[in-house]
Amino acid sequence: MDALIVTDIQNDFCPGGALPVPGGNEIIPLVNELQEHFELVVATQDWHPRGHVSFASSHAGKKPFDKITVDGMEQILWPDHCLQGSRGAEFAPGLSTLRVEAIVRKGTNPAVDSYSAFFDNARLKSTGLEGYLKHKGVRRVFLCGLAGDFCVYYSTMDALAAGFGAVFIKDATRAISKDGMEAAKKAILAKGGTLILSRKIPELRRL
Ligand code: VGL
Ligand code: ZN
């Protein structure tokens, strides 16, 4: 079975939000349409507590997009975003969630950032999504949402590492950085993932 993973389509990642992804809102009609074609749809929400380690405001003298080292790992610092329970953390209003069967919230550990829907960045804790999907009989996941070069990318790589087929839907995502997206696409291909345009999905799914 195939599943669609709808990643972090939240107000803070859309124009006007705290960490806007350019054109982030433009994918919403397509993502709504895509959901109709999958027997299982899962969504994720970035869901940070106050004072989260990934916020520049948590580190004296730092500003958004600075990089620091946390426990030996590079951490990009972001504007405060997706605070648990805030309007910014809600799904974007145009996103249909009627067919979403499970919502995975990530980034809840104040000390560790979490881009992937499967594991936090330090791989300390699993979200349980791998087991959930496998228990449901999912063999292949299709990924869309925000941001293409962060959460969608890391989720794609972790899906491949977990043994799923992984299909990154290029026109159903938007990236924070163009260069970052190019590097991410190369890495996905190198790991055995697939990049497609949404109009090719029917063809691919008949295989
Ligand atoms: C994300 C940066 C920080 C994402 C989340 O959803 O891609 N990016 N937190
Ligand atoms: Zn975040």
Side-chain angles (χ1 to χ4, degrees):
M1 183 170 74
D2 290 331
L4 180 69
I5 302 180
V6 177
T7 308
D8 296 4
I9 305 187
Q10 293 164 271
N11 289 321
D12 273 344
F13 294 124
C14 291
L19 176 42
V21 180
N25 56 320
E26 295 166 7
I27 63 172
I28 293 172
L30 176 58
V31 170
N32 288 344
E33 220 275 311
L34 289 175
Q35 294 185 51
E36 302 294 323
H37 303 287
F38 287 86
E39 42 279 86
L40 180 63
V41 182
V42 175
T44 68
Q45 273 176 306
D46 210 32
W47 196 252
H48 298 309
R50 226 167 271 290
H52 190 256
V53 67
S54 75
F55 297 169
S57 65
S58 306
H59 306 272
K62 297 294 174 192
K63 48 184 196 317
F65 307 103
D66 283 352
K67 288 178 185 161
I68 62 167
T69 303
V70 177
D71 294 330
M73 279 193 338
E74 183 183 276
Q75 173 69 52
I76 304 174
L77 297 177
W78 306 105
D80 290 23
H81 64 279
C82 296
L83 267 180
Q84 294 171 352
S86 69
R87 225 191 85 71
E90 288 172 15
F91 290 120
L95 180 73
S96 171
T97 55
L98 296 178
R99 297 204 60 248
V100 172
E101 288 195 32
I103 297 173
V104 172
R105 287 174 167 171
K106 62 188 179 58
T108 57
N109 181 338
V112 189
D113 206 2
S114 186
Y115 297 142
S116 158
F118 294 91
F119 284 99
D120 63 68
N121 294 4
R123 301 186 84 76
L124 290 175
K125 206 179 81 171
S126 157
T127 60
L129 180 60
E130 176 183 346
Y132 172 82
L133 294 173
K134 287 186 174 166
H135 198 81
K136 291 264 196 187
V138 172
R139 306 278 305 270
R140 181 169 63 170
V141 295
F142 286 65
L143 300 105
C144 61
L146 305 170
D149 46 347
F150 284 92
C151 291
V152 190
Y153 165 61
Y154 281 91
S155 296
T156 305
M157 296 299 271
D158 278 351
L160 290 165
F164 296 104
V167 183
F168 180 102
I169 311 169
K170 290 185 285 185
D171 51 336
T173 184
R174 290 290 185 276
I176 292 175
S177 128
K178 207 168 178 255
D179 292 347
M181 192 65 252
E182 285 314 307
K185 283 181 189 166
K186 286 204 182 90
I188 290 168
L189 289 174
K191 214 176 162 64
T194 305
L195 307 171
I196 55 154
L197 288 171
S198 55
R199 64 183 161 78
K200 295 283 188 190
I201 292 175
E203 207 175 297
L204 185 68
R205 295 194 64 206
R206 274 195 295 272
L207 297 179

